[in-house]
Amino acid sequence: MSAKELLSKEDREAVVNAIKRAELNTSGEIRVHIESLCKIDACDRAAYIFNYLKMYKTRERNGVLFYLALKSKRFAVIGDAGIDAKVPAGFWNSVKETLAESFSKGDIAGGLVKGIEMAGESLKSYFPYTSDDINEQPDDISFGK
């Protein structure tokens, strides 16, 4: 079963809609990448995917990646250098706790939706949405193997 098949069409739509809603609050760019297996540290794999997706190509270096390896039961949330330079240590902890709680109950899409909404809300004080903001990254989910 491919990574894409691990979420229903409705779940994928809910996640994409959450990204679009969250980005109404912030100039930050949120992406989700899902794959089946992760054989290395989830943060290391997320950093690789972040670069592979060219998420560093934002004006304010304010991209956020939600990375999930569903069969391996691993995930990470990472932000670009612009975010790391402005936010306090542990900035992503509450988002990660929300994800972990939902994932432990088998609610992958619900956890992602909550986490994405939290990220958008948290980022708006550091990277507020402006009227000239453009969508610098796709809102769709990317999938690996």
Side-chain angles (χ1 to χ4, degrees), residues 7 60 70 135:
L7 285 181
E60 296 184 74
L70 294 178
N135 196 8

Side-chain angles (χ1 to χ4, degrees), residues 14-90:
V15 170
V16 169
N17 288 333
I19 293 169
K20 291 177 181 181
R21 283 191 311 273
E23 289 182 357
L24 293 175
N25 289 323
T26 178
S27 64
E29 295 291 333
I30 300 169
R31 297 214 48 196
V32 173
H33 181 83
I34 299 173
E35 54 191 16
S36 296
L37 299 172
C38 177
K39 296 180 180 179
I40 61 174
D41 178 77
C43 287
D44 291 343
R45 180 68 178 156
Y48 173 83
I49 297 296
F50 191 98
N51 286 320
Y52 175 78
L53 296 174
K54 296 179 173 48
M55 289 188 63
Y56 52 83
K57 289 192 171 191
T58 60
R59 182 180 60 204
E60 296 184 74
R61 298 290 306 264
N62 58 356
V64 177
L65 177 64
F66 285 74
Y67 167 80
L68 282 77
L70 294 178
K71 287 185 179 178
S72 298
K73 297 185 179 182
R74 296 182 185 177
F75 72 93
V77 180
I78 62 170
D80 203 351
I83 294 173
D84 290 344
K86 290 187 176 185
V87 303

Side-chain angles (χ1 to χ4, degrees), residues 37-145:
L37 299 172
C38 177
K39 296 180 180 179
I40 61 174
D41 178 77
C43 287
D44 291 343
R45 180 68 178 156
Y48 173 83
I49 297 296
F50 191 98
N51 286 320
Y52 175 78
L53 296 174
K54 296 179 173 48
M55 289 188 63
Y56 52 83
K57 289 192 171 191
T58 60
R59 182 180 60 204
E60 296 184 74
R61 298 290 306 264
N62 58 356
V64 177
L65 177 64
F66 285 74
Y67 167 80
L68 282 77
L70 294 178
K71 287 185 179 178
S72 298
K73 297 185 179 182
R74 296 182 185 177
F75 72 93
V77 180
I78 62 170
D80 203 351
I83 294 173
D84 290 344
K86 290 187 176 185
V87 303
F91 182 75
W92 299 112
N93 288 349
S94 62
V95 172
K96 290 177 186 176
E97 289 167 8
T98 297
L99 292 173
E101 183 179 332
S102 293
F103 294 170
S104 71
K105 296 175 185 173
D107 187 8
I108 304 303
L112 278 171
V113 167
K114 287 178 195 170
I116 290 164
E117 289 170 349
M118 289 174 70
E121 187 65 29
S122 297
L123 285 172
K124 77 178 182 181
S125 61
Y126 299 96
F127 299 96
Y129 180 85
T130 58
S131 61
D132 65 342
D133 186 60
I134 58 169
N135 196 8
E136 298 175 279
Q137 293 284 319
D139 294 335
D140 59 332
I141 301 169
S142 64
F143 292 94
K145 295 180 184 180

